[in-house]
Amino acid sequence: MQIIVGLGNELRGEDSFGIDVLKRLQKSNLTNTKFISTLQLTPELCLELKEAKNIIFIDAAYSLDESYTLSCSLKQKNFSNSISHHLSIEVLLTMLEKLYDKKIEFRIFSMQTKILIKL
């Protein structure tokens, strides 16, 4: 199964990019695909992601260099190596590998923006 994760907050302007894209994709009748909409990545998501063959993460990303361009990298807006209730994609994937012996293929699609409010 493919899982598409849309990240963001609809109340924070451009930060809703991942959620907006996810809503459009849900209307496209993709087969064997699960959609997850979330404000942030948390350890509990591992339970939903462990059955995936591949995961697509869609999010807005803060960038001083480029605005309104599509990026595909691990440079996320709140990169963290700590285990908390706000994880980076890298930490979440590491948890899946260590806890469930799952090395899952993934892609990241981020819209670069200078306007994104950082917490």
Side-chain angles (χ1 to χ4, degrees), residues 6 9 13 19-20 26-27 29 34 37 46 48 51 53 64 71-72 98 107-109:
N9 184 337
I19 305 297
D20 295 341
Q26 286 174 316
K27 296 176 184 175
N29 298 323
K34 180 178 184 175
S37 175
C46 285
E48 294 190 63
E51 303 304 322
K53 294 216 183 272
L64 286 174
S71 169
C72 302
K98 301 292 182 189
R107 291 186 206 116
I108 301 170
F109 296 98

Side-chain angles (χ1 to χ4, degrees), residues 42-56:
T42 63
E44 294 82 5
L45 277 174
C46 285
L47 295 171
E48 294 190 63
L49 298 176
K50 69 180 183 177
E51 303 304 322
K53 294 216 183 272
N54 66 55
I55 304 169
I56 298 172

Side-chain angles (χ1 to χ4, degrees), residues 99-111:
L99 294 173
Y100 301 107
D101 197 28
K102 294 276 191 167
K103 189 151 180 91
I104 300 172
E105 290 183 36
F106 71 97
R107 291 186 206 116
I108 301 170
F109 296 98
S110 297
M111 181 199 47

Side-chain angles (χ1 to χ4, degrees), residues 19-108:
I19 305 297
D20 295 341
V21 171
L22 191 75
K23 285 180 181 179
R24 288 183 182 239
L25 288 174
Q26 286 174 316
K27 296 176 184 175
S28 65
N29 298 323
L30 293 173
T31 58
N32 202 27
T33 301
K34 180 178 184 175
F35 299 96
I36 298 174
S37 175
T38 185
L39 289 170
Q40 61 190 21
L41 299 176
T42 63
E44 294 82 5
L45 277 174
C46 285
L47 295 171
E48 294 190 63
L49 298 176
K50 69 180 183 177
E51 303 304 322
K53 294 216 183 272
N54 66 55
I55 304 169
I56 298 172
F57 296 95
I58 305 170
D59 194 11
Y62 183 75
S63 171
L64 286 174
D65 302 323
E66 300 181 47
S67 279
Y68 308 114
T69 58
L70 192 62
S71 169
C72 302
S73 74
L74 277 172
K75 293 180 183 176
Q76 295 297 299
K77 60 185 172 205
N78 289 309
F79 188 81
S80 168
N81 285 325
S82 67
I83 301 298
S84 70
H85 273 78
H86 188 81
L87 305 176
S88 69
I89 290 171
E90 185 178 53
V91 170
L92 189 66
L93 294 169
T94 299
M95 288 176 69
L96 285 165
E97 188 173 350
K98 301 292 182 189
L99 294 173
Y100 301 107
D101 197 28
K102 294 276 191 167
K103 189 151 180 91
I104 300 172
E105 290 183 36
F106 71 97
R107 291 186 206 116
I108 301 170

